[in-house]
Amino acid sequence: EPFDYYMFGQNYIRPLVDYRNSYVGNISIFQDMEQKLQQGHNVVLMSNPQTEADPAIIALLLERSNPWISENIVYVAGDRVVTGSLCKPFSMGRNLICVYSKKHM
């Protein structure tokens, strides 16, 4: 059967999140976004991730309140996350648009 890379990433990162001290601010905005997405609209979030684990952490923090966004969000990532042996297993469980740097081509 196919391996579930999404759940692999979620379960690997889950123990690293301090849920007592972590929260998503303005959760109503995410609920509004989910409604807009279900209606067929587009939503773009811009961020500056600090680690390759950020997509998994975002998905973990949204999985209870907004499970649809948590599982269907599309991330823009550099080529390192799909070619690096440590990053690739986690990236395989995400919806990615990969951007290749000119200096790596």
Side-chain angles (χ1 to χ4, degrees), residues 41-59:
H41 298 283
N42 296 314
V43 175
V44 177
L45 297 173
M46 302 293 285
S47 69
N48 184 14
Q50 301 300 309
T51 70
E52 282 81 4
D54 285 359
I57 293 168
I58 291 167

Side-chain angles (χ1 to χ4, degrees), residues 18-20 24 27-29 31-32 34 38 46 49 55 67 71-74 81 84 86-87 90-91 93 95-96 100:
D18 180 2
Y19 288 98
R20 288 188 195 142
V24 178
I27 197 70
S28 63
I29 294 172
Q31 293 165 346
D32 186 43
E34 189 162 332
Q38 299 277 343
M46 302 293 285
E71 292 182 26
N72 293 291
I73 193 169
V74 178
V81 300
L86 291 176
C87 300
F90 300 101
S91 299
N95 301 314
L96 294 177
Y100 290 88

